[in-house]
Amino acid sequence: MTDSNRYIIGGLEGYTPHIACLVSMMNYARTTTKDAVEGLTMEELDYCMDEKSNSIGALLQHIAAVDFVYYLLTIEEREERSMTKEETEKWGAALDLGDRGRKELKGKTLEELFELMDNQRTKTLAALKGKDDEWLLKATKYSSDGEGKWNNYWKWFHVFEDEINHRGQIRLLRKRLPIEL
């Protein structure tokens, strides 16, 4: 995405119309998330405001993990709880956050975090090029009673909705970084 088309939703080559709209919004959310953390050091990325907060670095890893889980749910049509042992080792702490995240999700540079996010997003965008609007609107059950349904459009909307929510946290955490870091 270039600055000249940053505020255009839709019309992306290689995607069907609805998927192009979705990808445009996902791209914008990702660009503004990256803008919000530009220039942070590893120490700043690992900083926790208090014993209950997540670090900025942990939130960035969580954003990538959510993309991964929804890739499993929609592209691979797997259940969230069907992650392999290797997938759970790679993404589990980032999905859980909390105490586990505070312990395990640290020691990465901004470049490493961007690479993690970019690798997963690249995989997602490539897979979405192979899908169509009918697939995007396909609904499946989400509750054990079979009553609740959600479609792939909502699932991917939730991915960038979650990112936007965490970007707000990230901006707050950045403002609260101690001056001496």
Side-chain angles (χ1 to χ4, degrees):
M1 175 172 59
T2 64
D3 282 339
S4 65
N5 65 4
R6 169 182 222 174
Y7 303 114
I8 301 296
I9 293 178
L12 295 176
E13 190 174 325
Y15 298 99
T16 58
H18 282 287
I19 293 177
C21 290
L22 179 71
V23 169
S24 298
M25 291 182 275
M26 290 168 66
N27 287 343
Y28 177 79
R30 181 56 49 88
T31 297
T32 55
T33 297
K34 286 181 166 185
D35 290 347
V37 298
E38 195 60 47
L40 292 178
T41 66
M42 186 187 305
E43 191 175 16
E44 291 168 327
L45 291 164
D46 288 345
Y47 174 76
C48 286
M49 193 166 58
D50 58 40
E51 69 280 351
K52 296 285 186 188
S53 72
N54 294 298
S55 69
I56 292 171
L59 291 171
L60 293 174
Q61 290 174 75
H62 175 76
I63 289 167
V66 169
D67 195 307
F68 171 76
V69 166
Y70 281 85
Y71 182 94
L72 293 183
L73 289 170
T74 61
I75 306 299
E76 294 188 5
E77 297 183 1
R78 291 169 48 193
E79 295 296 320
E80 179 180 356
R81 303 290 180 223
S82 71
M83 287 195 306
T84 65
K85 181 180 179 187
E86 293 79 20
E87 291 166 343
T88 301
E89 286 173 11
K90 180 176 181 177
W91 300 108
L95 290 170
D96 293 344
L97 292 174
D99 290 336
R100 183 176 176 197
R102 281 184 286 282
K103 196 164 43 172
E104 296 179 31
L105 301 175
K106 51 188 169 184
K108 292 191 183 307
T109 65
L110 189 57
E111 292 76 23
E112 290 171 311
L113 294 169
F114 282 176
E115 182 178 354
L116 180 72
M117 296 167 73
D118 292 345
N119 286 345
Q120 181 55 46
R121 183 52 57 88
T122 297
K123 185 177 174 182
T124 294
L125 295 178
L128 289 174
K129 280 190 174 184
K131 301 298 182 182
D132 60 21
D133 290 346
E134 184 178 324
W135 170 86
L136 194 62
L137 297 171
K138 178 184 171 188
T140 57
K141 69 177 187 165
Y142 71 81
S143 61
S144 58
D145 64 10
E147 294 295 317
K149 293 196 178 284
W150 56 348
N151 65 12
N152 291 326
Y153 212 148
W154 188 92
K155 292 171 193 173
W156 284 104
F157 157 76
H158 178 65
V159 170
F160 74 85
E161 171 197 37
D162 186 72
E163 180 168 343
I164 291 166
N165 283 322
H166 289 303
R167 186 181 66 229
Q169 288 177 283
I170 287 167
R171 286 178 174 158
L172 171 71
L173 291 169
R174 185 170 189 158
K175 288 178 183 177
R176 300 288 190 234
L177 288 170
I179 294 170
E180 62 272 0
L181 278 183

